Amino acid sequence: MLIDISFSGMFVHHQSFVDTNYQPTNEISRVDIMAIYSTQTGATECTITLGEEFGYVSIGEFRSAYEDLYGDTIKTYIIDFRHTNHMDSSGLGLLLNARKFCNSREIGIRIVNANNTVKKIFKISCFHKYFTID
């Protein structure tokens, strides 16, 4: 499903994609740098692959990614940062909100493929105390 959102003023046209059939790869096109993909990757795991930027612009889409795929069989969310080059403080808040959602349902969160810049933000923010970061 393609969600097309247009803003006036200083914001530019933005496209978001929600694709439950997405298979993560190492390739990303310029069209979907803001996209967040969710897919159930096993009987008990769901992978959420983030776009190039993770922060304020990702609020609704990220929340939908974990809430919409939640089911009784999901025990772990894997949040894949392979394409993420920038994360602001809103991104940290989004992860804490996801943690709150998951903790109340006894679901674990594992963060994978973060680059050195994002890992540094996690370290400074002491996120290793709250998340498994691979």
Side-chain angles (χ1 to χ4, degrees), residues 84-104:
T84 307
N85 295 321
H86 174 78
M87 179 176 65
D88 62 22
S89 60
S90 296
L92 295 174
L94 290 171
L95 290 171
L96 291 174
N97 286 337
R99 180 178 178 265
K100 183 177 178 180
F101 175 89
C102 290
N103 281 350
S104 68

Side-chain angles (χ1 to χ4, degrees), residues 1-3 15-22 35-39 60-62 64-65 68-69:
M1 171 174 52
L2 172 63
I3 303 167
Q15 291 182 339
S16 301
F17 301 89
V18 178
D19 183 0
T20 57
N21 297 316
Y22 172 73
I36 294 177
Y37 295 99
S38 303
T39 185
E61 194 172 1
F62 182 67
S64 293
D68 292 351
L69 283 179

Side-chain angles (χ1 to χ4, degrees), residues 16-127:
S16 301
F17 301 89
V18 178
D19 183 0
T20 57
N21 297 316
Y22 172 73
Q23 294 298 316
T25 67
N26 288 327
E27 300 297 319
I28 188 166
S29 70
R30 300 308 300 170
V31 173
D32 58 6
I33 63 169
M34 304 302 283
I36 294 177
Y37 295 99
S38 303
T39 185
Q40 191 160 344
T41 51
T44 62
E45 288 185 343
C46 175
T47 298
I48 299 171
T49 304
L50 305 177
E52 195 172 295
E53 294 185 28
F54 183 59
Y56 179 75
V57 297
S58 310
I59 290 173
E61 194 172 1
F62 182 67
R63 184 178 303 137
S64 293
Y66 62 82
E67 287 180 355
D68 292 351
L69 283 179
Y70 168 71
D72 293 334
T73 62
I74 300 296
K75 300 297 177 200
T76 305
Y77 281 109
I78 299 168
I79 302 176
D80 190 345
F81 276 79
R82 90 177 57 235
H83 303 300
T84 307
N85 295 321
H86 174 78
M87 179 176 65
D88 62 22
S89 60
S90 296
L92 295 174
L94 290 171
L95 290 171
L96 291 174
N97 286 337
R99 180 178 178 265
K100 183 177 178 180
F101 175 89
C102 290
N103 281 350
S104 68
R105 292 160 180 81
E106 298 181 2
I107 299 171
I109 295 178
R110 197 168 92 229
I111 295 172
V112 299
N113 299 319
N115 66 28
N116 289 335
T117 302
V118 173
K119 283 182 181 178
K120 186 175 181 180
I121 294 169
F122 288 146
K123 184 175 181 177
I124 291 168
S125 305
C126 296
F127 267 50

